[in-house]
mmCIF file of all heavy atoms in Angstrom:
data_model
loop_
_atom_site.group_PDB
_atom_site.id
_atom_site.type_symbol
_atom_site.label_atom_id
_atom_site.label_comp_id
_atom_site.label_asym_id
_atom_site.label_seq_id
_atom_site.Cartn_x
_atom_site.Cartn_y
_atom_site.Cartn_z
ATOM 1 N N GLY A 75 3.323 -11.261 22.788
ATOM 2 C CA GLY A 75 2.958 -10.697 24.152
ATOM 3 C C GLY A 75 1.504 -10.549 24.355
ATOM 4 O O GLY A 75 0.659 -11.061 23.651
ATOM 5 N N ALA A 76 1.151 -9.859 25.448
ATOM 6 C CA ALA A 76 -0.240 -9.743 25.957
ATOM 7 C C ALA A 76 -0.887 -8.549 25.261
ATOM 8 O O ALA A 76 -0.990 -7.480 25.795
ATOM 9 C CB ALA A 76 -0.236 -9.537 27.482
ATOM 10 N N TYR A 77 -1.231 -8.799 23.971
ATOM 11 C CA TYR A 77 -1.895 -7.744 23.180
ATOM 12 C C TYR A 77 -3.114 -8.342 22.553
ATOM 13 O O TYR A 77 -3.068 -8.694 21.369
ATOM 14 C CB TYR A 77 -0.935 -7.194 22.116
ATOM 15 C CG TYR A 77 0.324 -6.635 22.715
ATOM 16 C CD1 TYR A 77 1.504 -7.399 22.740
ATOM 17 C CD2 TYR A 77 0.327 -5.433 23.380
ATOM 18 C CE1 TYR A 77 2.687 -6.857 23.267
ATOM 19 C CE2 TYR A 77 1.458 -4.901 24.014
ATOM 20 C CZ TYR A 77 2.620 -5.637 23.949
ATOM 21 O OH TYR A 77 3.797 -5.121 24.525
ATOM 22 N N THR A 78 -4.164 -8.488 23.304
ATOM 23 C CA THR A 78 -5.369 -9.197 22.838
ATOM 24 C C THR A 78 -5.914 -8.647 21.562
ATOM 25 O O THR A 78 -6.116 -7.429 21.477
ATOM 26 C CB THR A 78 -6.431 -9.133 23.940
ATOM 27 O OG1 THR A 78 -5.898 -9.712 25.119
ATOM 28 C CG2 THR A 78 -7.670 -9.903 23.543
ATOM 29 N N GLY A 79 -6.117 -9.462 20.603
ATOM 30 C CA GLY A 79 -6.727 -9.040 19.333
ATOM 31 C C GLY A 79 -5.724 -8.538 18.310
ATOM 32 O O GLY A 79 -6.151 -8.347 17.149
ATOM 33 N N ASP A 80 -4.518 -8.370 18.682
ATOM 34 C CA ASP A 80 -3.521 -7.833 17.741
ATOM 35 C C ASP A 80 -2.813 -8.976 17.008
ATOM 36 O O ASP A 80 -2.844 -10.131 17.487
ATOM 37 C CB ASP A 80 -2.498 -6.948 18.455
ATOM 38 C CG ASP A 80 -3.030 -5.565 18.692
ATOM 39 O OD1 ASP A 80 -3.550 -4.947 17.717
ATOM 40 O OD2 ASP A 80 -2.947 -5.080 19.913
ATOM 41 N N VAL A 81 -2.141 -8.656 15.936
ATOM 42 C CA VAL A 81 -1.395 -9.669 15.154
ATOM 43 C C VAL A 81 0.032 -9.131 14.962
ATOM 44 O O VAL A 81 0.194 -8.037 14.504
ATOM 45 C CB VAL A 81 -2.106 -9.929 13.759
ATOM 46 C CG1 VAL A 81 -1.301 -10.910 12.951
ATOM 47 C CG2 VAL A 81 -3.528 -10.429 13.995
ATOM 48 N N ALA A 82 0.999 -10.003 15.269
ATOM 49 C CA ALA A 82 2.376 -9.609 15.126
ATOM 50 C C ALA A 82 2.822 -9.763 13.673
ATOM 51 O O ALA A 82 2.326 -10.630 12.913
ATOM 52 C CB ALA A 82 3.274 -10.451 16.053
ATOM 53 N N ALA A 83 3.826 -9.007 13.281
ATOM 54 C CA ALA A 83 4.351 -9.136 11.926
ATOM 55 C C ALA A 83 4.932 -10.541 11.757
ATOM 56 O O ALA A 83 4.793 -11.126 10.670
ATOM 57 C CB ALA A 83 5.551 -8.131 11.780
ATOM 58 N N GLU A 84 5.488 -11.121 12.827
ATOM 59 C CA GLU A 84 6.055 -12.503 12.724
ATOM 60 C C GLU A 84 4.863 -13.474 12.405
ATOM 61 O O GLU A 84 5.074 -14.510 11.767
ATOM 62 C CB GLU A 84 6.713 -12.883 14.054
ATOM 63 C CG GLU A 84 8.128 -12.279 14.165
ATOM 64 C CD GLU A 84 8.154 -10.816 14.570
ATOM 65 O OE1 GLU A 84 7.093 -10.201 14.705
ATOM 66 O OE2 GLU A 84 9.278 -10.330 14.718
ATOM 67 N N GLN A 85 3.693 -13.220 13.011
ATOM 68 C CA GLN A 85 2.554 -14.115 12.748
ATOM 69 C C GLN A 85 2.070 -13.991 11.339
ATOM 70 O O GLN A 85 1.684 -14.972 10.737
ATOM 71 C CB GLN A 85 1.431 -13.792 13.791
ATOM 72 C CG GLN A 85 1.836 -14.135 15.185
ATOM 73 C CD GLN A 85 0.770 -13.691 16.215
ATOM 74 O OE1 GLN A 85 0.245 -12.540 16.137
ATOM 75 N NE2 GLN A 85 0.427 -14.567 17.103
ATOM 76 N N LEU A 86 2.055 -12.743 10.796
ATOM 77 C CA LEU A 86 1.690 -12.604 9.358
ATOM 78 C C LEU A 86 2.669 -13.348 8.524
ATOM 79 O O LEU A 86 2.252 -14.085 7.546
ATOM 80 C CB LEU A 86 1.730 -11.127 8.965
ATOM 81 C CG LEU A 86 0.751 -10.178 9.679
ATOM 82 C CD1 LEU A 86 0.998 -8.737 9.247
ATOM 83 C CD2 LEU A 86 -0.681 -10.570 9.373
ATOM 84 N N ALA A 87 3.949 -13.192 8.748
ATOM 85 C CA ALA A 87 4.966 -13.928 7.961
ATOM 86 C C ALA A 87 4.769 -15.454 8.097
ATOM 87 O O ALA A 87 4.871 -16.197 7.057
ATOM 88 C CB ALA A 87 6.402 -13.541 8.368
ATOM 89 N N ASP A 88 4.540 -15.887 9.275
ATOM 90 C CA ASP A 88 4.344 -17.305 9.536
ATOM 91 C C ASP A 88 3.136 -17.865 8.776
ATOM 92 O O ASP A 88 3.122 -19.028 8.321
ATOM 93 C CB ASP A 88 4.178 -17.528 11.084
ATOM 94 C CG ASP A 88 4.152 -18.930 11.458
ATOM 95 O OD1 ASP A 88 5.108 -19.674 11.072
ATOM 96 O OD2 ASP A 88 3.245 -19.355 12.221
ATOM 97 N N ALA A 89 2.083 -17.043 8.605
ATOM 98 C CA ALA A 89 0.898 -17.467 7.947
ATOM 99 C C ALA A 89 1.097 -17.484 6.431
ATOM 100 O O ALA A 89 0.287 -17.977 5.680
ATOM 101 C CB ALA A 89 -0.289 -16.540 8.303
ATOM 102 N N GLY A 90 2.121 -16.801 5.924
ATOM 103 C CA GLY A 90 2.411 -16.809 4.473
ATOM 104 C C GLY A 90 2.462 -15.455 3.814
ATOM 105 O O GLY A 90 2.507 -15.352 2.632
ATOM 106 N N ALA A 91 2.401 -14.387 4.580
ATOM 107 C CA ALA A 91 2.461 -12.994 4.044
ATOM 108 C C ALA A 91 3.926 -12.635 3.791
ATOM 109 O O ALA A 91 4.861 -13.078 4.455
ATOM 110 C CB ALA A 91 1.874 -11.993 5.016
ATOM 111 N N SER A 92 4.129 -11.848 2.728
ATOM 112 C CA SER A 92 5.472 -11.303 2.508
ATOM 113 C C SER A 92 5.500 -9.812 2.480
ATOM 114 O O SER A 92 6.536 -9.177 2.414
ATOM 115 C CB SER A 92 6.072 -11.882 1.174
ATOM 116 O OG SER A 92 5.200 -11.594 0.113
ATOM 117 N N LEU A 93 4.353 -9.150 2.547
ATOM 118 C CA LEU A 93 4.229 -7.705 2.623
ATOM 119 C C LEU A 93 3.267 -7.339 3.742
ATOM 120 O O LEU A 93 2.485 -8.221 4.236
ATOM 121 C CB LEU A 93 3.625 -7.121 1.311
ATOM 122 C CG LEU A 93 4.411 -7.334 0.050
ATOM 123 C CD1 LEU A 93 3.726 -8.507 -0.734
ATOM 124 C CD2 LEU A 93 4.444 -6.117 -0.813
ATOM 125 N N VAL A 94 3.218 -6.083 4.108
ATOM 126 C CA VAL A 94 2.257 -5.583 5.052
ATOM 127 C C VAL A 94 1.961 -4.104 4.825
ATOM 128 O O VAL A 94 2.882 -3.319 4.579
ATOM 129 C CB VAL A 94 2.607 -5.848 6.489
ATOM 130 C CG1 VAL A 94 3.914 -5.102 6.859
ATOM 131 C CG2 VAL A 94 1.473 -5.428 7.436
ATOM 132 N N VAL A 95 0.693 -3.777 4.704
ATOM 133 C CA VAL A 95 0.250 -2.341 4.602
ATOM 134 C C VAL A 95 0.292 -1.755 5.987
ATOM 135 O O VAL A 95 -0.211 -2.304 6.915
ATOM 136 C CB VAL A 95 -1.189 -2.270 4.013
ATOM 137 C CG1 VAL A 95 -1.698 -0.839 4.014
ATOM 138 C CG2 VAL A 95 -1.300 -2.893 2.603
ATOM 139 N N LEU A 96 0.939 -0.603 6.072
ATOM 140 C CA LEU A 96 1.007 0.100 7.447
ATOM 141 C C LEU A 96 0.607 1.561 7.326
ATOM 142 O O LEU A 96 0.833 2.216 6.329
ATOM 143 C CB LEU A 96 2.455 -0.018 7.976
ATOM 144 C CG LEU A 96 2.891 -1.501 8.218
ATOM 145 C CD1 LEU A 96 4.402 -1.486 8.496
ATOM 146 C CD2 LEU A 96 2.075 -2.038 9.402
#
Side-chain angles (χ1 to χ4, degrees):
Y77 303 104
T78 303
D80 281 310
V81 178
E84 281 77 359
Q85 293 175 313
L86 296 175
D88 187 52
S92 56
L93 302 101
V94 61
V95 174
L96 294 170

